[in-house]
Amino acid sequence: MQQMATTVTLLLGAASSPGLGDGTGRDGFQCSRLLPRRRQTRPRWVLCSLKYGCLGVGEPGEPGGRSAASPVYSSLTVSPAGDAAVAVVSSEQKVYDVVVKQAALLKRQLRPQQQAPPAVARELDAPRGGLGEAYARCGEICEEYAKTFYLGTLLMTEERRRAIWAIYVWCRRTDELVDGPNASHITPQALDRWERRLEDLFAGRPYDMLDAALSDTITKFPIDIQPFKDMIDGMRTDLKKARYKNFDELYMYCYYVAGTVGLMSVPVMGIAPESKATAESVYGAALALGLANQLTNILRDVGEDARRGRIYLPQDELAEAGLSDEDIFKGVVTEKWRKFMKRQIKRARMFFTEAEQGVTELRKESRWPVWASMLLYRQILDEIEANDYNNFTKRAYVGKAKKVLALPVAYGKSLLLPYSLRNNQT
């Protein structure tokens, strides 16, 4: 899906994607444009879902509006089954469980150890040219397709910078399986092969130089395979699903294709040594930023997706707004559509707000690229509004001048004290 390609900007930049085909590689994949070429009480971030009760289509008192006394959460909690109601696990809870696991891995790595395990050598498994060339190629791809983010990564330490490039490239290659020039030929079996290739990569058996860079990265940072596998599940979803009944379903999809990027990246970005924030809250903020970016992509690309027969908007919320799939396919901006869009934009901005505090808790040298990406992405929502909510035939984008102006603002924000320390300052 085109939206995920740009959502990699969560922590890893944004741009249109390079090609990746299902061709002649060891596992059936080949990427000619990416390979070398010449030239129990939940933390606050989880409770953000409680805000969404006010996002019902229509204000309290309006037809179809929510009453303040009966807020609607973003997730389902009970499945009616006659007298014996069956509890179901919401998407938020499923994702929360993953976040807790990732935070625990990071905390174990930060905890003093009597004897650190030796690093696993991967150089012998790397393709000809070595890891230096592999990381350099990842950097070239990042620079070519995510220029603003790439500039920000130059402030990071070399090891962290190269690791982020490696994650970025893997995410782009994964997205291209279902959104690249050969996407029409991709099958569930192809994604199964890609997942086995991922498992080999984590086991120290990279298939090519770009895999080798990520394989080396995971020996240096506490990166877990689960978010990577979950992203592949997001690609599987795109092969079989073109509608989402409610926000609970959409939430899970957004996690798969975008929130996962944040979970992959936090161990590399690092938490500031002076931060008093919990690892769970920082991971939660990274997740929120991924969700915000993906929701922004969805709202920006409504017309483009509709022309491909896809609607990434909650069906129940469309119905409550008096809208249908036919209205989306017709692509006419009406007052109903404007009201619907205002509430969708409000939800995306709530996730951005949730993310902001967490960004301040990252290591200082890692904050700039994240702030730059976040500020630019938030402006896409402003541009949708400036286009009078016409995301059917007009594509909202941030102009070059605004991008340039955002860089010093992002740098200034990157120097601010972590939010967890501000209340302690006199």
Side-chain angles (χ1 to χ4, degrees):
M1 172 180 166
Q2 179 65 26
Q3 289 134 1
M4 184 268 154
T6 50
T7 295
V8 173
T9 185
L10 152 66
L11 293 175
L12 304 180
S16 57
S17 307
L20 176 63
D22 184 9
T24 59
R26 218 169 115 187
D27 65 341
F29 295 98
Q30 185 179 34
C31 184
S32 59
R33 295 195 66 193
L34 291 181
L35 289 174
R37 61 182 180 181
R38 304 296 177 189
R39 16 129 299 139
Q40 253 28 287
T41 296
R42 285 178 164 186
R44 178 177 177 274
W45 65 268
V46 174
L47 296 180
C48 69
S49 64
L50 300 180
K51 301 173 184 175
Y52 303 151
C54 67
L55 292 175
V57 180
E59 299 298 334
E62 294 181 356
R66 310 291 192 196
S67 68
S70 57
V72 176
Y73 304 131
S74 67
S75 304
L76 305 177
T77 56
V78 171
S79 175
D83 294 332
V86 180
V88 296
V89 180
S90 70
S91 293
E92 283 182 287
Q93 183 60 52
K94 292 176 183 177
V95 174
Y96 173 70
D97 292 342
V98 177
V99 167
V100 170
K101 177 185 176 184
Q102 304 309 304
L105 288 172
L106 183 63
K107 285 188 287 188
R108 283 202 298 270
Q109 191 252 6
L110 296 176
R111 192 178 298 135
Q113 299 179 355
Q114 293 182 347
Q115 183 177 3
V120 180
R122 294 283 193 262
E123 188 71 41
L124 294 178
D125 296 328
R128 184 180 303 177
L131 289 171
E133 183 179 344
Y135 279 118
R137 180 58 189 141
C138 290
E140 290 172 3
I141 295 167
C142 186
E143 181 180 16
E144 183 173 359
Y145 297 101
K147 293 179 176 62
T148 300
F149 181 82
Y150 173 80
L151 289 174
T153 64
L154 298 181
L155 290 181
M156 301 170 70
T157 64
E158 181 180 9
E159 186 174 64
R160 294 179 190 276
R161 177 171 65 245
R162 299 200 315 174
I164 285 295
W165 293 345
I167 294 173
Y168 172 87
V169 168
W170 186 88
C171 290
R172 295 199 71 88
R173 299 177 85 184
T174 300
D175 176 60
E176 283 303 297
L177 296 176
V178 297
D179 197 42
N182 296 298
S184 61
H185 304 295
I186 293 298
T187 63
Q189 292 73 30
L191 291 176
D192 291 343
R193 293 198 301 273
W194 186 249
E195 184 168 4
R196 290 195 296 271
R197 174 169 170 164
L198 172 70
E199 293 167 349
D200 284 343
L201 183 160
F202 266 76
R205 299 187 296 273
Y207 281 50
D208 61 28
M209 70 184 306
L210 300 180
D211 281 356
L214 183 57
S215 188
D216 181 66
T217 289
I218 63 177
T219 70
K220 299 174 179 177
F221 299 94
I223 298 172
D224 185 43
I225 196 173
Q226 188 62 52
F228 295 82
K229 284 176 167 284
D230 286 345
M231 179 174 282
I232 295 174
D233 278 342
M235 303 304 109
R236 291 189 176 103
T237 301
D238 262 333
L239 292 183
K240 62 185 180 182
K241 194 176 181 70
R243 301 290 188 278
Y244 293 82
K245 291 188 298 185
N246 49 46
F247 187 69
D248 187 78
E249 288 191 356
L250 187 61
Y251 181 100
M252 199 67 190
Y253 175 75
C254 290
Y255 160 70
Y256 279 148
V257 301
T260 50
V261 185
L263 305 191
M264 297 172 193
S265 304
V266 169
V268 177
M269 294 285 186
I271 299 176
E274 67 274 18
S275 171
K276 301 300 182 182
T278 64
E280 288 89 347
S281 68
V282 177
Y283 271 99
L287 169 67
L289 185 49
L291 297 174
N293 276 356
Q294 184 62 16
L295 290 172
T296 299
N297 284 331
I298 288 170
L299 299 180
R300 180 195 62 195
D301 296 338
V302 168
E304 179 182 336
D305 287 329
R307 288 187 286 276
R308 301 168 63 188
R310 294 181 173 274
I311 298 177
Y312 293 93
L313 298 167
Q315 292 286 302
D316 61 344
E317 295 180 19
L318 282 170
E320 289 165 0
L323 297 165
S324 66
D325 289 0
E326 281 304 308
D327 294 306
I328 305 298
F329 294 134
K330 289 178 181 177
V332 177
V333 178
T334 63
E335 194 57 34
K336 287 182 180 179
W337 179 251
R338 292 186 183 95
K339 289 182 179 180
F340 174 79
M341 281 300 302
K342 287 176 183 178
R343 287 160 178 77
Q344 302 302 310
I345 288 174
K346 182 178 181 180
R347 172 185 282 148
R349 283 180 173 147
M350 284 180 175
F351 278 112
F352 277 123
T353 300
E354 284 295 316
E356 286 185 359
Q357 293 182 12
V359 177
T360 70
E361 309 296 343
L362 297 175
R363 297 180 68 91
K364 184 178 294 186
E365 66 270 18
S366 298
R367 296 174 200 161
W368 190 25
V370 184
W371 270 114
S373 295
M374 180 162 59
L375 291 177
L376 292 173
Y377 237 61
R378 290 195 72 156
Q379 290 185 56
I380 293 175
L381 298 175
D382 300 336
E383 296 300 324
I384 293 174
E385 293 172 330
N387 289 339
D388 192 28
Y389 306 99
N390 182 3
N391 42 8
F392 298 117
T393 60
K394 293 183 179 180
R395 183 178 174 87
Y397 69 94
V398 180
K400 187 174 181 179
K402 290 183 179 180
K403 289 182 179 180
V404 172
L405 291 174
L407 288 174
V409 175
Y411 182 73
K413 288 182 175 292
S414 73
L415 301 178
L416 295 176
L417 196 69
Y419 187 85
S420 61
L421 299 179
R422 294 178 193 177
N423 292 335
N424 298 327
Q425 300 297 305
T426 57

